């Protein structure tokens, strides 16, 4: 696996996976562009998720809701009031930080002084941040007195009282920038699922339990985007809202944690690097009854890849009309605008109730980063040379097969290779490339680095011009395996079976 983010960043730039956003104008912080190989890898990951969670199940429907979101959706969901991170400024350097990130990066003795100044039990980090947000004036003074360091200067700062910063991106719909036209870019895909609950239910006549799955962009104005594509301002999520009967929620919560852990392993992440973390009660979001985060050992540390929350009837209960009659159990804002009843009629008793929801919510970009980190391998060859290989699952690899003519100046060979490329592409297994840049050794190295599982070479034998003068090897090619570097010779008619088997999910 990769040891540092830097080696991944360098590979991604060099080979065309991921570039900094708006780079030629100095970059736009917290944005990245997926290049020729990144877009393939990302699409493959999303397709694998969709296939597992929508196609292979009989209790799931898909959705693609809009990104621009009515203000009331994010009012009643609670985001307008509470989707905020604590932020603090250094008056000396004018730098701004997310409070918890800043504190986590401090030397131990600085933190110890801060715990003491805030009179919080040492080691209870969550309580420390809470205490600081409860008395911001005191917290600002305590940070300055404890000599909290500014990572930008490495010097103690003069800190302002911390305050909350709402992370939603605002925009205006229509030509006039006025309050009434305010809308948001969605900060999560989930809300689009909740507000379409009745539409999907009416259209599909689903019975509980069932889920709605969605993949799409989400936007958060993160105070300190960092760690490459781990924390960005524009990212993608793969989210499921799985609706269940109250009382069955705990079973389904456990079920989804297991299911998702299994899936990430099937994608190639090793079990040792995946850590399920049950949030203690004091860390839980106000709407959650229980949350298990799936943490991954990223090169920069053990951090969240996916969160699986039991959200009870909070979401449908927040957006439904007739809240009182439906007897919602979660604490929700009184909804005076919703025009629909987001509830389920029990087919046996005829009674209406609001389903509970289990939400497995994964980040696509964090998934891509984890896959790259896990797959990145440095090997020393018997010759003493080093090779870098991306040992991605063949199914996820951006390019499945590279077809390489041994020489570029023999039309029989290059034409044969081009025809073979077209034929293999026709199998529908993903991207197949015809590759005649550089010599064959260079082509192999390049494809090792981008994770292409198979390199197929068309040579003199293939066109029936073997050195021994026979045509025994006509229509055979060499197939080189990325991981073992072993080459076998196959008849071109055997390639379909071979590749289908190797690329099967
Ligand atoms: P964090 O605590 O790291 O800010 P979160 O708990 O706020 O994340 P959720 O709201 O649970 O994140 O979002 C679900 C998933 O979306 C996360 O597990 C993560 O994979 C992804 N995600 C959230 N914020 C970002 C971001 N800024 N950049 C990339 N992915 C993100």
């Amino acid at each position: 696996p990769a040891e540092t983010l830097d080696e991944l960043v360098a590979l991604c730039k060099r080979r065309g996976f991921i570039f900094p956003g708006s780079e030629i104008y100095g970059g736009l912080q917290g944005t990245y562009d997926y290049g020729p190989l990144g877009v393939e890898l990302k699409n493959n990951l999303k397709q694998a998720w969709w296939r597992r969670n929508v196609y292979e199940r009989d209790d799931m429907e898909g959705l693609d809701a809009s990104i621009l979101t009515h203000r009331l959706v994010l009012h009643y969901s609670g985001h307008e009031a509470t989707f905020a991170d604590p932020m603090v400024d250094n008056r000396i350097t004018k730098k701004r930080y997310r409070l918890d990130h800043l504190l986590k990066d401090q030397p131990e003795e600085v933190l110890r002084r801060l715990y003491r100044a805030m009179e919080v039990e040492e080691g209870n980090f969550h309580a420390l941040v809470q205490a600081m947000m409860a008395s911001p004036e005191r917290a600002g003074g305590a940070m300055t007195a404890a000599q909290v360091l500014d990572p930008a200067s490495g010097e103690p700062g003069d800190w302002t009282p911390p305050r909350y910063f709402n992370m939603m991106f605002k925009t205006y719909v229509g030509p006039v920038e006025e309050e009434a036209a305010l809308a948001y870019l969605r900060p999560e895909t989930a809300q689009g699922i909740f507000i379409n609950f009745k539409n999907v239910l009416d259209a599909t006549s689903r019975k509980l339990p069932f889920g709605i799955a969605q993949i799409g962009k989400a936007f958060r104005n993160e105070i300190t985007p960092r760690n490459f594509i781990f924390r960005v301002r524009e990212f993608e999520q793969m989210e499921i809202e799985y609706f269940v009967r109250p009382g069955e929620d705990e079973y389904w919560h456990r079920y989804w944690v297991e299911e998702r852990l299994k899936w990430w392993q099937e994608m190639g992440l090793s079990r040792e690097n995946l850590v399920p973390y049950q949030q203690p009660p004091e860390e839980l979001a106000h709407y959650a009854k229980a949350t298990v985060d799936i943490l991954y050992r990223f090169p920069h540390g053990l951090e969240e890849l996916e969160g699986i929350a039991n959200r009870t009837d909070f979401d449908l209960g927040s957006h439904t009309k007739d809240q009182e009659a439906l007897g919602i159990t979660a604490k929700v804002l009184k909804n005076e605008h919703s025009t629909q009843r987001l509830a389920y009629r029990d087919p046996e008793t005829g009674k209406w109730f609001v389903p509970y929801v289990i939400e497995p919510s994964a980040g696509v970009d964090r998934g891509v980063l984890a896959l790259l980190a896990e797959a990145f391998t440095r090997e020393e060859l018997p010759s003493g040379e080093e090779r870098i290989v991306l040992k991605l699952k063949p199914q996820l690899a951006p390019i499945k097969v590279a077809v390489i003519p041994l020489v570029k100046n023999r039309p029989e060979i290059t034409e044969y290779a081009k025809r073979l490329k077209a034929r293999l592409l026709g199998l529908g297994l993903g991207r197949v490339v015809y590759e005649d840049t550089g010599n064959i050794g260079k082509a192999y190295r390049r494809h090792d680095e981008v994770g292409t599982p198979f390199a197929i070479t068309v040579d003199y034998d293939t066109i029936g011009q073997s050195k021994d003068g026979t045509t025994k090897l006509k229509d055979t090619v060499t197939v080189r395996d990325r991981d073992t570097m072993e080459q076998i010779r196959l008849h071109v008619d055997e390639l379909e079976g071979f590749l289908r088997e190797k690329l099967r999910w």
Side-chain angles (χ1 to χ4, degrees), residues 23-37:
E23 193 179 11
I24 67 163
Y25 291 106
L28 180 62
Q29 239 213 335
T31 66
Y32 283 92
D33 298 338
Y34 284 77
L37 299 176

Side-chain angles (χ1 to χ4, degrees), residues 83 98 188 220 222 229-233 235-237 239 303-307 361-366:
F83 196 67
R98 187 167 136 182
E188 58 178 30
R220 296 183 188 179
E222 296 277 354
I229 50 171
F230 179 83
R231 184 174 304 286
V232 284
R233 291 185 167 129
F235 56 99
E236 270 183 285
Q237 293 183 311
E239 294 195 299
E303 296 224 49
E304 177 178 331
L305 169 64
E306 170 159 358
S361 169
V364 178
D365 311 80
R366 288 187 189 181

Side-chain angles (χ1 to χ4, degrees), residues 55-69:
Y55 293 176
E56 290 178 10
R57 300 185 66 99
D58 298 309
D59 59 354
M60 195 77 76
E61 301 286 352
L63 182 75
D64 184 13
S66 68
I67 289 170
L68 287 172
T69 306

Side-chain angles (χ1 to χ4, degrees), residues 454-469:
F454 304 106
I456 294 180
T457 303
V458 173
D459 55 20
Y460 288 98
D461 294 326
T462 316
I463 56 167
Q465 297 181 12
S466 295
K467 279 207 192 81
D468 65 5

Side-chain angles (χ1 to χ4, degrees), residues 418-429:
K418 282 181 186 166
R419 281 197 308 274
L420 184 59
K421 181 241 151 147
R423 183 172 161 194
L424 296 179
L425 187 69
L427 302 178
L429 296 168

Side-chain angles (χ1 to χ4, degrees), residues 316-327:
L316 293 179
S318 291
H319 289 302
T320 191
K321 69 170 185 178
D322 301 342
Q323 284 169 317
E324 266 174 44
L326 288 166

